[in-house]
Amino acid sequence: GLCNLTIEQFRIAYLNEFSRNDTDLFNCLANVSVISLLSISLGSLQALLKDFRWQHLEMINCDFDNFPALKLHSLKKFVFTDNKGASSFTKTELPSLQYLDLKRNHLSFKSCCSHTYFGTTNLKHLDLSFNDVITLGSNFVGLE
């Protein structure tokens, strides 16, 4: 029924496990502007690899097998905080990204944070606080 609705914001919380049938849900949410996933066991959610038209994505207090390799060309804001299981960062393709919040995830970075790490040169906000070891490189392309 969601595929027939026009939805601007969608939030789902406290779901124990995503199955393959649940990932079809995202196909109906391809045109939603804001997606919030809270306290969900996502594992390796391959459905998020598609180029949906999301502009704002929040993943908070979720369980992952690894960091999601996102390819979302219209995403401007990505909040990924308090998550478990994603200890190393996976390169992403987020060319429109301006706001990135990665705090409290136990992430490790080496030679952070060139534009190739996040797939953008438009980044204006980056929060890496309360993570594990982060070494900074000299290339902060696009950061103000």
Side-chain angles (χ1 to χ4, degrees):
L2 284 175
C3 290
N4 298 324
L5 298 175
T6 301
I7 301 171
E8 194 170 312
Q9 296 184 17
F10 183 81
R11 175 177 282 204
I12 188 167
Y14 301 104
L15 187 64
N16 285 339
E17 219 174 283
F18 254 57
S19 71
R20 288 192 185 267
N21 294 335
D22 293 329
T23 57
D24 289 339
L25 164 74
F26 289 113
N27 292 327
C28 293
L29 302 172
N31 295 318
V32 174
S33 294
V34 179
I35 299 285
S36 296
L37 306 173
L38 311 167
S39 299
I40 298 175
S41 180
L42 293 169
S44 62
L45 189 58
Q46 297 301 317
L48 293 178
L49 298 177
K50 295 184 179 180
D51 189 23
F52 294 136
R53 294 188 196 116
W54 302 342
Q55 293 183 17
H56 181 149
L57 174 61
E58 294 181 350
M59 296 176 169
I60 300 171
N61 197 33
C62 295
D63 289 322
F64 290 89
D65 291 340
N66 46 37
F67 194 92
L70 301 173
K71 295 179 183 176
L72 299 168
H73 293 245
S74 60
L75 194 68
K76 293 180 181 176
K77 184 173 184 177
F78 182 38
V79 177
F80 186 85
T81 60
D82 292 311
N83 295 297
K84 297 164 194 70
S87 61
S88 61
F89 188 79
T90 302
K91 288 189 179 182
T92 59
E93 287 183 35
L94 306 169
S96 300
L97 193 67
Q98 297 176 5
Y99 184 101
L100 180 60
D101 185 347
L102 297 174
K103 68 179 168 267
R104 295 189 301 265
N105 290 301
H106 304 287
L107 291 172
S108 294
F109 285 93
K110 291 185 180 177
S111 299
C112 182
C113 294
S114 72
H115 72 282
T116 58
Y117 245 89
F118 308 119
T120 185
T121 57
N122 299 315
L123 206 56
K124 294 179 181 173
H125 175 91
L126 174 63
D127 189 344
L128 296 171
S129 59
F130 303 103
N131 279 295
D132 284 343
V133 175
I134 297 175
T135 57
L136 299 177
S138 60
N139 187 6
F140 281 96
V141 175
L143 294 180
E144 295 181 7

